[in-house]
Amino acid sequence: DIFGSKGGLTLEPLAYYTEHNGIFTEANIAVDRNDPYETEINHFVDSVIERKEPISPVSDGAKVVQILEAIKLSSEVGKEVQL
């Protein structure tokens, strides 16, 4: 939770608090509480079943792995690694 002299914010429930014209105001903020991994897995399964290109193609995943391997190597040798 964060509170200051002019307002505040809470995470559970997600809400903000403020004062407007001398009146204290509280507003809850609605958010989608879906599990992002579940959404991602469902999208991938649907892509396979429907034989459609997923939002993140395999080539993107391969680039991410290449970047992560370069980060690891850079930390091991202590200098910049060119991709």
Side-chain angles (χ1 to χ4, degrees):
D1 297 346
I2 301 170
F3 292 97
S5 61
K6 295 185 180 182
L9 178 71
T10 60
L11 293 177
E12 280 298 326
L14 185 56
Y16 70 89
Y17 308 88
T18 189
E19 181 184 339
H20 184 70
N21 293 331
I23 300 171
F24 179 74
T25 304
E26 173 184 351
N28 288 330
I29 303 168
V31 294
D32 185 7
R33 300 256 185 211
N34 288 339
D35 179 347
Y37 294 116
E38 181 180 348
T39 303
E40 183 177 343
I41 290 167
N42 288 337
H43 169 72
F44 176 75
V45 169
D46 290 343
S47 296
V48 171
I49 291 170
E50 297 173 15
R51 297 184 182 270
K52 295 197 302 190
E53 182 79 14
I55 292 171
S56 299
V58 172
S59 59
D60 286 357
K63 288 176 189 173
V64 169
V65 170
Q66 182 183 24
I67 291 167
L68 292 172
E69 288 175 344
I71 290 169
K72 182 178 180 223
L73 179 59
S74 175
S75 70
E76 291 170 354
V77 298
K79 59 182 177 180
E80 183 178 316
V81 173
Q82 296 294 320
L83 295 179

